[in-house]
Amino acid sequence: PSALGGQANRSKESGRIYAAQLRDYCGFSRGSVLLYGGAGVDFSALKDIAVSHAEPDASSPDTPPFTAAGNNFDVCCALNCLQRARSPEKLLLDIRGGLKDGGMLLLTVPSLSRAFSWHRTEKWTGFAAGNLFFFNERTLQNLLFKCGFRNIYITKDRCNGDNVSVLAKKLPLRD
């Protein structure tokens, strides 16, 4: 029982940490959130935030998280899924299409820049089976910019030290 309680506390704490990042970055405190790939992250303790859940399809990780037309979210939290997609660019464009104008993306992904921890521990989680792509801060920023996200902020993920958290805003694409 204590292990289950500890995991529940960690998932609520992760939800609070990610919500605090969104609040500090863009003032987000109410609206709709799509939690994509965030199994184990619990936003339920947060008031005024409607959370929808979607998990990547293991057999087809490029399946867009927005299945119904007109699903528009204020925020998409895409946690540990970009590195597993066959086309990270297509996944980001699909996510962008499901966000409202000015919508926010919170993305977590293993970072090659954090791989130095692998040398210390001989175990870097970024090389996990199923990860098809590897990113560092520069490649993430370039990819997000290409997919129409701006105001990109990248920092160490406070929930997983091998990852980075990325906050970015959907802005109109220019022709």
Side-chain angles (χ1 to χ4, degrees), residues 112-162:
L112 284 173
S113 299
R114 302 246 173 244
F116 69 86
S117 64
W118 174 70
H119 294 291
R120 285 195 315 250
T121 64
E122 296 184 18
K123 180 183 173 190
W124 181 58
T125 59
F127 291 131
N131 288 353
L132 303 176
F133 289 89
F134 301 97
F135 303 96
N136 62 28
E137 283 82 345
R138 177 173 277 181
T139 58
L140 278 170
Q141 187 169 13
N142 289 340
L143 181 60
L144 287 161
F145 193 85
K146 182 178 181 181
C147 293
F149 290 96
R150 302 296 184 267
N151 303 345
I152 300 164
Y153 175 72
I154 301 174
T155 187
K156 178 181 174 185
D157 184 356
R158 291 173 31 203
C159 297
N160 180 342
D162 287 345

Side-chain angles (χ1 to χ4, degrees), residues 47-58:
K47 298 178 182 173
D48 301 323
I49 296 177
V51 180
S52 299
H53 297 272
E55 289 299 320
D57 181 352

Side-chain angles (χ1 to χ4, degrees), residues 22-40:
L22 289 165
R23 183 192 63 238
D24 294 347
Y25 176 76
C26 63
F28 180 77
S29 62
R30 65 181 55 194
S32 58
V33 173
L34 175 68
L35 185 56
Y36 183 58

Side-chain angles (χ1 to χ4, degrees), residues 80-92:
N80 288 313
C81 57
L82 190 65
Q83 72 273 13
R84 297 173 188 266
R86 287 189 194 104
S87 172
E89 182 177 349
K90 180 183 178 320
L91 180 60
L92 286 173

